[in-house]
Amino acid sequence: MASPVHMRQRAKAEWRCVSLTLVGRDLNPDNVSNTLRIRPDDSARRGESFGAKRKTKFGLWSLDGRPSSGRIHTQMKNLLQRIEPAGKELRRMIDAGDVDQAYMRISFQPSSGIAVAERVLPAELVAGVTSLGIDIVISVNMPQYFEAL
């Protein structure tokens, strides 16, 4: 059995990130913010620089899970608390085609030496996300790949 110190070191080697992203060819982030009454953590209009100085081909509007050091379900819950009050407006935007894609990305990297990585997504959180018309994307980053680079 691993010692508490070893468990803390292993937990530090792991990382987790949850974000909510709305994408649309003609999506205007300012309109999304005004409609939802929520300020995004990141946004870009089509043709603007985004990320590593790339010009985006789509309009983007996104929220980050907080705290970034939190567990996946904590970040999901925090995102839902931020977006649920505007759920009807979000659903209308999706149904009207103003938003081409709406997804919650759950990314994590397990500790080195882990052969199988699994995380449980609580049913009530999954139901809350999908009831708003938001898809869930899961991205697992394997540390062995990055250590080899």
Side-chain angles (χ1 to χ4, degrees), residues 18-20 36-42 61-67 75-87 90 132:
V18 180
S19 62
L20 172 67
L36 301 181
R37 295 183 184 98
I38 301 171
R39 180 189 287 169
D41 294 314
D42 215 346
W61 185 95
S62 69
L63 297 174
D64 297 329
R66 295 182 181 154
Q75 292 185 52
M76 287 178 72
K77 186 176 179 181
N78 291 343
L79 279 171
L80 269 176
Q81 287 173 342
R82 292 174 72 187
I83 199 73
E84 276 181 326
L90 174 59
L132 297 172

Side-chain angles (χ1 to χ4, degrees), residues 54-101:
R54 299 176 295 188
K55 291 195 177 198
T56 180
K57 296 178 182 179
F58 300 92
L60 302 162
W61 185 95
S62 69
L63 297 174
D64 297 329
R66 295 182 181 154
S68 60
S69 61
R71 295 174 183 242
I72 289 172
H73 67 273
T74 301
Q75 292 185 52
M76 287 178 72
K77 186 176 179 181
N78 291 343
L79 279 171
L80 269 176
Q81 287 173 342
R82 292 174 72 187
I83 199 73
E84 276 181 326
K88 288 181 184 177
E89 292 84 0
L90 174 59
R91 194 65 190 199
R92 275 191 222 118
M93 291 175 68
I94 293 169
D95 292 344
D98 298 332
V99 174
D100 298 331
Q101 292 180 315

